[in-house]
Amino acid sequence: MRAARSSLIIILIAFVALLLQSVFSRFLAHHPWGPYLTLPFVFALAEAPGVHRLQGAFTSFVLGYMYDAFSGNPLGIYSFVFVLGYLVARLACWRLSFRGPAFEIVLSFVLVLGNIFKELLDQLVQRPDLDFGYVARFVGNVLPFSLIFTI
């Protein structure tokens, strides 16, 4: 019962965060560089002692599903990403025994880099004649902005 209550509290807090994100997303950022306000909840679940793997994976799935519903994406895309992020963070915590905010910041940075390179790949596929200067400016402009909202 206690585990279900804690998951429900996390889901309700994330729901409020998604409401705020959807209201202020017009002012904060443009697509695809918006903040992921629910991602820190996923990482906190992964490193929290006493959270069962199934409970954390299910809560991460619900958070991703809510993110899909709020963002208008096809349902299931961010659900998969959030559960995968949870499992990777859980494995990293288990293997490396990292705890605390420093680990969450590093993991957020790694996932932001993955998102940047995904978008950069889309740019390179659409316009293959781009030079290294454009790629460096793209990463240099997007990385600080994206990290600010993720961290």
Side-chain angles (χ1 to χ4, degrees):
M1 185 68 180
R2 185 175 186 184
R5 187 178 334 139
S6 65
S7 290
L8 187 61
I9 290 170
I10 290 171
I11 290 170
L12 289 175
I13 292 171
F15 180 75
V16 171
L18 283 172
L19 282 176
L20 291 173
Q21 179 178 337
S22 65
V23 168
F24 293 112
S25 65
R26 169 182 260 171
F27 306 110
L28 292 177
H30 299 288
H31 178 79
W33 307 111
Y36 295 109
L37 296 180
T38 53
L39 200 56
F41 291 108
V42 173
F43 296 147
L45 277 172
E47 68 170 316
V51 175
H52 192 268
R53 287 183 301 267
L54 186 60
Q55 174 195 359
F58 179 75
T59 306
S60 298
F61 176 81
V62 171
L63 293 177
Y65 197 82
M66 286 188 334
Y67 190 86
D68 285 335
F70 274 86
S71 64
N73 291 327
L75 295 176
I77 291 176
Y78 279 98
S79 301
F80 173 73
V81 170
F82 279 26
V83 171
L84 185 65
Y86 168 78
L87 293 175
V88 168
R90 180 88 178 191
L91 177 68
C93 281
W94 179 70
R95 295 286 292 168
L96 303 173
S97 298
F98 285 133
R99 302 270 185 219
F103 174 70
E104 291 180 20
I105 290 171
V106 169
L107 196 56
S108 295
F109 180 75
V110 168
L111 289 177
V112 164
L113 283 179
N115 194 18
I116 286 174
F117 290 125
K118 178 184 70 97
E119 293 301 322
L120 187 60
L121 180 64
D122 291 342
Q123 291 289 324
L124 290 173
V125 167
Q126 291 173 1
R127 302 185 312 199
D129 59 337
L130 296 176
D131 61 344
F132 181 74
Y134 174 80
V135 172
R137 284 191 311 272
F138 180 81
V139 171
N141 287 335
V142 171
L143 182 65
F145 183 72
S146 187
L147 278 175
I148 287 170
F149 286 114
T150 302
I151 292 174

